[in-house]
Amino acid sequence: MNRVTEKHLSRFQMALAKIKGNRLAQACLILLACLYLGAIFADVLSAYRYDDEDRNYSYCPPMMVRIFDKNGRLTRPYVPGVYFNFDENHKRVYHSDPFKKYPIKIFHKGYKYKLFGLIPCQRHLFGVDAPGRFYLWGADSRGRDLYSRILYGARISLSIGLIGVVISFSIGLLVGGVAGYYGGKVDNILMRLCEMFMMIPGFYLMLALMVVVPANFNSLQIYLSIVVILSFIGWASLARVIRGMSISLREREYVLAAKAMGLSDLRIILRHILPHTMSYSIVAITLSIPGYILGESALSLIGLGIQDPVPSWGNLLSEAMGIVRIKFAPWILLPGLFIFLTVICFNVIGDALRDCLDPTLETERK
Amino acid sequence: MDDLLWIKDLRVWVQDDLGPRELIKGVHLKVGAQKIVALVGGSGSGKTTAGLSILRLLAESMSIRGGEIVFEGHDLLKCSPRQMQELRGRDISMVFQEPLSAFNPVFTIGLQVFEVLRYHTKLSHGQIMERVEQLLLSVGLDNPSQVMRSYPHQLSGGMRQRAMVAQAIALNPKLIIADEPTSNLDVTLQAQIIELFRKLRDELKVSILLITHDMGVVRELADEMAVLFSGQVVEFGPTKDILSNPRHAYTSELVKILQ
């Protein structure tokens, strides 16, 4: 009699199996993983500190790594030295100096940092000895290495989405769960509150709130205020959907059974109602992360977000606001490419997850 | 006054699209200590509603508008929501008709029994695990560690019902309300569950309020029975007396089915 039927694949395992079949989503997942790893190991991967500037290299173009010396012989990879003169428009024009070469050293000893904030370390993945400077992706107006700055900027731009989503989804799930579970007056009050937030266009609300933030905040404080403001705006739409779901979930018999076992309302909401909204929430979370990344970028772009010299993809891009700069130094648009890639990746993965987790969509397709 | 539960003239109203009307028009019954009392009635006679009224878990559209539900000398209708919550599971627990839907499909059986103990008791993690295992064994699940790891849909109907009973007795309640515990099981399983209830009454000294329409189960199990007909208890007394000498027309219909 005590026969237990064979183990079924869990929902999560099924989703994973389906993602394996989706090449595009897989590629995006790998790309995202690379970006996040880049952000985590920014210290090691970067060649210079994000605020290490050298005005002699203002808008220095990306340097090509060379493996042939001036006589055409194969040597270890090096970058040539550069010098500049001014053209008729008093614009700097950089030339490579064939007589100076700076070999690229793997695990080069560069500036000091603490790995994960703990381990003192000085090695970097690559670098060249002073007085040479190596700009893999070019330099900005103050001669700071764009490659290093993009890596450091990824820390802010990529983490803001995750942290923001965690905050806004905790609020959204709880408010939606409570509103749907209790119904009546509680529901009414909470939902009208949600509508008040949804009524104001997000970007303007964000701007208005950002203005309240004191100007003397340091970058960490600004970062935190951005996260709080973004999640403050984001929770309402989720709360509405979760509320609708929990209205139907509270009628399930296991909720009655849990009540009959004397569990508290909060516990029933957390244990027996919200887990059933997970397949929706996971998709919604993935699809809303780009919103936070773009929100931060937009704020930083117009100068209300992260302040120089601390880089974020948004404020790196603010250098590219001007046609002349883009024309003569197109590489400063690179952070935009990274924003674009990240947003696309999250969207593709979100779509793939929806295909996996939403059974209704699947039957429609077949 | 050794009655554990005493329902006096319970009246429940429902308010829906058809307007307000009286669903239960007077339920009287007593459940003595260590007794199995059956509440018998046809579909829609209000027996499940009566059962849920005891725990005050009626749907929002229904309200209790009269009567008393006295449990161990206290009127449950006068208790605060907080007091009711503490009483549920600890003093009175419930076994549902369809254990598949009464268990949360996304958690294992073990976790759901665990949760009840964790919430109501101060036992350590290890002690609770032991208790869950012991509970599952006591309801006749021979392989408790495997059952604990299973999800509700992985168990057979009989096993699920046993697990449901295990959850219901987890906190040693004094009264178990069993809402049609056997109606979705086949005859052999019914016999096993009946046997299980009898064992619970004798070993754990609980009283059981059995809500059912199955006269066979009533005859087998119940010490006393109340016959509910269109929202009213028309007959209440020892099962043997009622079965041998039905007074109400509906009761005699029920008895006829048995023969």
Side-chain angles (χ1 to χ4, degrees), chain B residues 105-124:
Chain B
V106 301
F107 295 119
T108 58
I109 299 282
L111 188 75
Q112 296 187 52
V113 182
F114 182 92
E115 184 190 26
V116 170
L117 286 161
R118 169 91 156 258
Y119 187 76
H120 284 280
T121 65
K122 290 194 177 81
L123 298 176
S124 70

Side-chain angles (χ1 to χ4, degrees), chain A residues 152-332:
Chain A
Y152 278 104
R155 287 193 164 172
I156 285 172
S157 294
L158 291 178
S159 64
I160 226 159
L162 298 188
I163 299 176
V165 143
V166 167
I167 297 176
S168 74
F169 272 71
S170 324
I171 304 174
L173 282 173
L174 201 63
V175 170
V178 166
Y181 179 78
Y182 288 108
K185 266 184 204 154
V186 180
D187 182 27
N188 222 332
I189 293 170
L190 288 175
M191 282 307 109
R192 296 302 84 76
L193 192 74
C194 279
E195 277 153 20
M196 274 165 57
F197 279 101
M198 294 171 75
M199 196 170 65
I200 310 166
F203 192 69
Y204 298 102
L205 182 58
M206 199 161 75
L207 287 184
L209 288 170
M210 210 56 215
V211 169
V212 183
V213 173
N216 58 355
F217 266 20
N218 66 29
S219 52
L220 180 69
Q221 286 166 321
I222 289 182
Y223 173 83
L224 291 177
S225 358
I226 293 177
V227 173
V228 169
I229 287 170
L230 286 175
S231 21
F232 191 64
I233 295 167
W235 63 272
S237 56
L238 180 83
R240 279 185 75 88
V241 181
I242 296 298
R243 172 229 175 216
M245 292 174 121
S246 55
I247 283 179
S248 81
L249 287 168
R250 73 168 177 201
E251 305 296 332
R252 300 278 171 91
E253 202 168 36
Y254 51 76
V255 173
L256 188 66
K259 279 188 202 163
M261 289 313 295
L263 298 187
S264 68
D265 290 343
L266 183 68
R267 207 172 174 80
I268 291 173
I269 292 172
L270 291 178
R271 265 280 193 223
H272 295 284
I273 291 194
L274 293 184
H276 292 265
T277 65
M278 269 309 138
S279 55
Y280 169 80
S281 307
I282 289 172
V283 174
I285 283 174
T286 320
L287 290 176
S288 70
I289 289 176
Y292 292 85
I293 296 175
L294 289 174
E296 180 274 324
S297 302
L299 280 179
S300 301
L301 181 79
I302 58 175
L304 282 173
I306 308 292
Q307 301 296 322
D308 215 46
V310 179
S312 83
W313 289 350
N315 76 9
L316 287 178
L317 211 51
S318 68
E319 280 224 34
M321 292 214 295
I323 193 70
V324 183
R325 286 186 193 163
I326 295 175
K327 191 179 170 198
F328 293 113
W331 54 89
I332 54 176

Side-chain angles (χ1 to χ4, degrees), chain B residues 1-2 5 8 15 38 40 65 69-70 82 92 100 106 110 115 140 143 155 169 187-188 194 196 208 211-212 237 249:
Chain B
M1 268 310 284
D2 12 59
L5 178 78
K8 286 185 235 175
Q15 167 84 52
V40 189
R65 295 215 187 154
I69 299 175
V70 182
R82 180 92 211 146
I92 306 176
L100 182 58
V106 301
E115 184 190 26
N143 197 349
L155 299 181
I169 61 171
V187 185
T188 48
I194 289 172
L196 175 63
I208 297 168
I211 298 171
T212 183

Side-chain angles (χ1 to χ4, degrees), chain B:
Chain B
M1 268 310 284
D2 12 59
D3 292 325
L4 186 66
L5 178 78
W6 188 10
I7 302 179
K8 286 185 235 175
D9 196 30
L10 178 72
R11 282 162 194 280
V12 176
W13 284 67
V14 64
Q15 167 84 52
D16 59 14
D17 302 342
L18 301 170
R21 51 188 202 284
E22 201 169 22
L23 205 66
I24 292 184
K25 304 158 191 157
V27 164
H28 311 265
L29 71 92
K30 285 179 183 179
V31 182
Q34 266 200 79
K35 285 274 164 58
I36 297 179
V37 177
L39 182 60
V40 189
S43 309
S45 60
K47 39 187 207 306
T48 300
T49 308
L52 288 174
S53 311
I54 299 170
L55 286 172
R56 293 195 26 213
L57 285 175
L58 291 176
E60 271 167 36
S61 56
M62 295 186 205
S63 56
I64 299 171
R65 295 215 187 154
E68 276 176 62
I69 299 175
V70 182
F71 179 76
E72 291 192 306
H74 303 285
D75 188 353
L76 297 185
L77 299 182
K78 291 192 182 110
C79 283
S80 69
R82 180 92 211 146
Q83 284 170 316
M84 277 314 293
Q85 192 194 315
E86 268 167 27
L87 180 131
R88 289 178 200 137
R90 188 183 287 276
D91 292 315
I92 306 176
S93 66
M94 191 150 180
V95 173
F96 287 85
Q97 176 178 4
E98 181 37 82
L100 182 58
S101 53
F103 275 119
N104 190 335
V106 301
F107 295 119
T108 58
I109 299 282
L111 188 75
Q112 296 187 52
V113 182
F114 182 92
E115 184 190 26
V116 170
L117 286 161
R118 169 91 156 258
Y119 187 76
H120 284 280
T121 65
K122 290 194 177 81
L123 298 176
S124 70
H125 188 278
Q127 284 170 317
I128 297 180
M129 292 301 269
E130 244 169 66
R131 174 93 176 114
V132 173
E133 205 162 321
Q134 179 198 334
L135 280 168
L136 292 176
L137 263 179
S138 74
V139 294
L141 291 164
D142 304 330
N143 197 349
S145 52
Q146 196 178 359
V147 173
M148 277 163 77
R149 272 183 276 116
S150 310
Y151 288 92
H153 70 273
Q154 291 172 318
L155 299 181
S156 67
M159 290 167 79
R160 274 199 291 269
Q161 192 57 273
R162 283 168 191 271
M164 186 87 228
V165 172
Q167 191 187 34
I169 61 171
L171 300 164
N172 288 323
K174 299 179 184 100
L175 173 70
I176 296 174
I177 302 168
D179 186 5
E180 311 217 17
T182 55
S183 45
N184 283 339
L185 302 174
D186 65 46
V187 185
T188 48
L189 283 175
Q190 273 187 14
Q192 289 172 3
I193 295 289
I194 289 172
E195 198 45 53
L196 175 63
F197 276 126
R198 202 173 278 143
K199 189 183 129 199
L200 291 181
R201 183 205 32 198
D202 297 340
E203 289 178 7
L204 300 176
K205 316 217 179 311
V206 291
S207 305
I208 297 168
L209 177 63
L210 185 70
I211 298 171
T212 183
H213 58 251
D214 188 334
M215 290 303 286
V217 175
V218 174
R219 185 175 57 182
E220 283 284 310
L221 198 56
D223 302 311
E224 284 166 31
M225 67 184 280
V227 180
L228 193 61
F229 179 64
S230 69
Q232 268 177 307
V233 168
V234 291
E235 232 170 312
F236 177 62
T239 311
K240 271 181 200 156
D241 296 357
I242 291 182
L243 290 185
S244 58
N245 183 20
R247 267 179 246 149
H248 194 268
Y250 180 68
T251 320
S252 31
E253 286 293 316
L254 286 176
V255 174
K256 248 185 235 162
I257 300 165
L258 269 181
Q259 287 153 359

Side-chain angles (χ1 to χ4, degrees), chain A residues 47-116:
Chain A
Y48 300 99
R49 256 183 75 96
Y50 59 81
D51 55 357
D52 182 356
E53 56 182 63
D54 188 338
R55 305 264 171 143
N56 289 327
Y57 291 90
S58 172
Y59 290 124
C60 175
M63 289 179 180
M64 294 289 284
V65 179
R66 303 195 178 179
I67 49 173
F68 295 105
D69 65 11
K70 61 179 189 293
N71 302 323
R73 277 193 305 250
L74 196 67
T75 61
R76 65 181 289 188
Y78 71 97
V79 286
V82 293
Y83 63 93
F84 62 85
N85 48 27
F86 292 97
D87 64 4
E88 65 274 21
N89 299 321
H90 303 287
K91 197 182 88 62
R92 286 186 191 187
V93 180
Y94 286 87
H95 304 280
S96 54
D97 181 351
F99 296 100
K100 284 184 193 155
K101 57 180 204 180
Y102 302 103
I104 293 169
K105 293 183 175 166
I106 301 294
F107 295 113
H108 173 255
K109 231 178 179 177
Y111 68 91
K112 285 180 187 157
Y113 62 92
K114 282 191 172 160
L115 191 61
F116 308 123

